[in-house]
């Protein structure tokens, strides 16, 4: 084949397929686009365009990284979530499509409350995806986003800035194990809505996940003790202390955790569950009753 661009894509496709990556062609195209800073359409319109050797070398090294199963989002440095773009690196979890439903549920709840201003707390904000998506899509929220990892907070702050909601979110370096009376002072009282996509995988299951996850995503964003319920339970307890009456906690849970979460959360809250797009119970919606 004499055309350079098609040849490079074909090379990348074959290499990625050999590494067990299904969408080899698409990903090869995306990596080439990234290196030459063009969209896929621009790439295909000018198939005979010149590509410097330096760019070709760069492309080949990205293909190698992907062959080692580094997630595309970490290679490209961005991930899409709720129609927005988020910067990501290996200190934060890559935002997942199912978590978009959590944002949807939170916004529904916020918009049904008819209140002037609502306070929203995102526990374990990571890349800031949930906090930013909520801030971006509601005019009546004041958002607090906490994480106990300074590197994640740096990413989250940048994402708030890039998405134009920096002024609507207050970031805090806090752990759910900190004294929450002190947290209450910082957030100036009680909270209307708490959201969280906490780690919820049992410790010994993390290494069994696909290599993109087990080898590259931060284990502190995934692993949650022997049964995977450590943080969910702690968040339920903390939320019970932080929420206003009629306030609501919406938290993402793992496959098969509904029964245990139901038993635990119903001691404190009036609860229901919502499914993800695959029909799996994925979100606990817990309301604090007076
Ligand atoms: N809130 C972030 C997300 O939903 C991070 C979650 C986490 O690190 N467990 O992607």
């Amino acid at each position: 084949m004499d055309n350079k661009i098609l040849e490079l894509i074909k090379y990348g496709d074959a290499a990625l397929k050999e590494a067990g990556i299904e969408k080899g062609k698409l990903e090869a195209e995306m990596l080439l686009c990234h290196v030459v800073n063009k969209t896929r359409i621009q790439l295909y319109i000018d198939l005979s365009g010149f590509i410097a050797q330096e760019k070709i070398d760069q492309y080949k090294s990205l293909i190698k990284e992907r062959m080692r199963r580094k997630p595309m989002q970490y290679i490209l440095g961005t991930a899409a979530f709720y129609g927005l773009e988020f910067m990501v690196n290996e200190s934060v979890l890559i935002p997942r499509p199912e978590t978009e439903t959590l944002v949807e549920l939170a916004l529904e709840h916020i918009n049904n409350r008819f209140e002037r201003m609502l306070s929203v707390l995102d526990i374990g904000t990571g890349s800031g995806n949930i906090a930013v998506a909520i801030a971006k899509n509601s005019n009546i929220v004041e958002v607090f986003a906490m994480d106990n990892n300074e590197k994640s907070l740096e990413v989250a702050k940048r994402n708030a800035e890039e998405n134009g909601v920096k002024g609507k979110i207050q970031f805090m370096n806090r752990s759910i194990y900190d004294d929450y009376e002190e947290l209450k002072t910082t957030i100036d009282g009680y909270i209307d809505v708490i959201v969280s996509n906490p780690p919820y995988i049992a410790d010994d299951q993390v290494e069994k996940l696909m290599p993109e996850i087990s080898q590259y995503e931060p284990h502190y964003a995934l692993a949650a003790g022997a049964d995977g319920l450590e943080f969910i339970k702690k968040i339920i307890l903390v939320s019970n202390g932080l929420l206003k009456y009629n306030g609501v906690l919406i938290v993402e849970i793992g496959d098969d955790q509904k029964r245990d979460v139901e038993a635990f959360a119903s001691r404190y809250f009036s609860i229901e569950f919502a499914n993800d797009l695959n029909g799996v119970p994925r979100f606990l919606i817990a309301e604090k009753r007076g």
Side-chain angles (χ1 to χ4, degrees):
M1 202 182 293
D2 56 359
N3 187 294
K4 263 266 137 80
I5 289 177
L6 289 181
E7 202 180 299
L8 287 169
I9 292 169
K10 208 172 146 193
Y11 156 86
D13 179 24
L16 295 179
K17 289 235 170 75
E18 204 183 301
I21 292 158
E22 244 173 70
K23 296 181 191 151
K25 180 156 180 273
L26 175 68
E27 295 193 1
E29 288 168 350
M30 287 168 74
L31 293 174
L32 188 55
C33 286
H34 179 70
V35 164
V36 299
N37 199 19
K38 283 186 178 177
T39 65
R40 275 169 75 214
I41 293 172
Q42 288 168 337
L43 193 72
Y44 275 98
I45 283 176
D46 189 16
L47 272 179
S48 52
F50 172 76
I51 298 187
Q53 187 56 44
E54 181 200 331
K55 299 280 179 196
I56 296 177
D57 294 343
Q58 234 176 307
Y59 167 70
K60 289 188 173 167
S61 85
L62 295 188
I63 292 284
K64 284 209 186 83
E65 279 187 50
R66 183 67 187 114
M67 286 173 77
R68 289 194 290 269
R69 308 299 290 264
K70 184 169 181 172
M72 283 295 281
Q73 291 93 333
Y74 287 150
I75 299 177
L76 301 174
T78 64
F81 181 79
Y82 214 76
L84 302 168
E85 194 177 317
F86 288 85
M87 170 221 160
V88 291
N89 61 31
E90 283 170 62
S91 56
V92 297
L93 192 82
I94 297 166
R96 303 292 203 269
E98 53 265 41
T99 308
E100 294 180 339
T101 302
L102 188 154
V103 172
E104 201 70 53
L105 292 167
L107 286 171
E108 255 170 48
H109 185 82
I110 289 163
N111 294 329
N112 283 338
R113 292 280 298 261
F114 306 112
E115 270 162 56
R116 247 179 338 113
M117 216 47 199
L118 291 176
S119 52
V120 178
L121 170 66
D122 178 19
I123 298 179
T125 199
S127 65
N129 54 328
I130 299 174
V132 169
I134 290 175
K136 189 84 190 167
N137 288 284
S138 173
N139 291 323
I140 56 160
V141 289
E142 179 183 20
V143 182
F144 298 91
M146 61 185 254
D147 204 288
N148 63 352
N149 184 304
E150 195 52 47
K151 282 189 182 153
S152 306
L153 282 171
E154 277 167 29
V155 174
K157 284 178 193 165
R158 212 174 122 186
N159 282 324
E161 188 159 1
E162 294 286 321
N163 284 293
V165 290
K166 197 180 155 202
K168 292 171 85 173
I169 308 178
Q170 193 177 314
F171 291 96
M172 304 177 294
N173 189 337
R174 285 279 190 318
S175 151
I176 42 173
Y177 293 96
D178 291 348
D179 172 8
Y180 69 74
E181 287 303 330
E182 187 264 338
L183 177 62
K184 247 192 272 181
T185 331
T186 320
I187 57 184
D188 198 21
Y190 292 89
I191 291 284
D192 294 288
V193 181
I194 297 180
V195 287
S196 184
N197 174 25
Y200 52 66
I201 311 227
D203 289 343
D204 64 350
Q205 296 302 310
V206 175
E207 65 190 44
K208 296 181 190 151
L209 300 171
M210 55 199 269
E212 277 85 348
I213 303 174
S214 64
Q215 289 175 26
Y216 290 92
E217 295 205 269
H219 282 208
Y220 55 72
L222 297 164
D227 59 1
L229 290 166
E230 183 180 332
F231 300 119
I232 292 175
K233 285 183 172 170
K234 183 66 185 169
I235 286 167
I236 289 169
L237 294 177
V238 169
S239 299
N240 190 37
L242 285 179
L243 280 175
K244 287 180 189 165
Y245 287 113
N246 299 322
V248 71
L249 161 70
I250 306 174
V251 55
E252 186 167 321
I253 63 169
D255 297 347
D256 304 323
Q257 289 180 338
K258 183 186 164 193
R259 254 199 17 212
D260 290 333
V261 172
E262 190 164 31
F264 189 80
S266 58
R267 293 188 218 157
Y268 309 93
F269 292 102
S270 154
I271 64 166
E272 55 178 318
F273 288 86
N275 289 350
D276 63 18
L277 293 173
N278 295 317
V280 178
R282 179 70 63 203
F283 309 99
L284 163 70
I285 305 169
E287 193 175 334
K288 185 164 167 174
R289 291 273 162 82

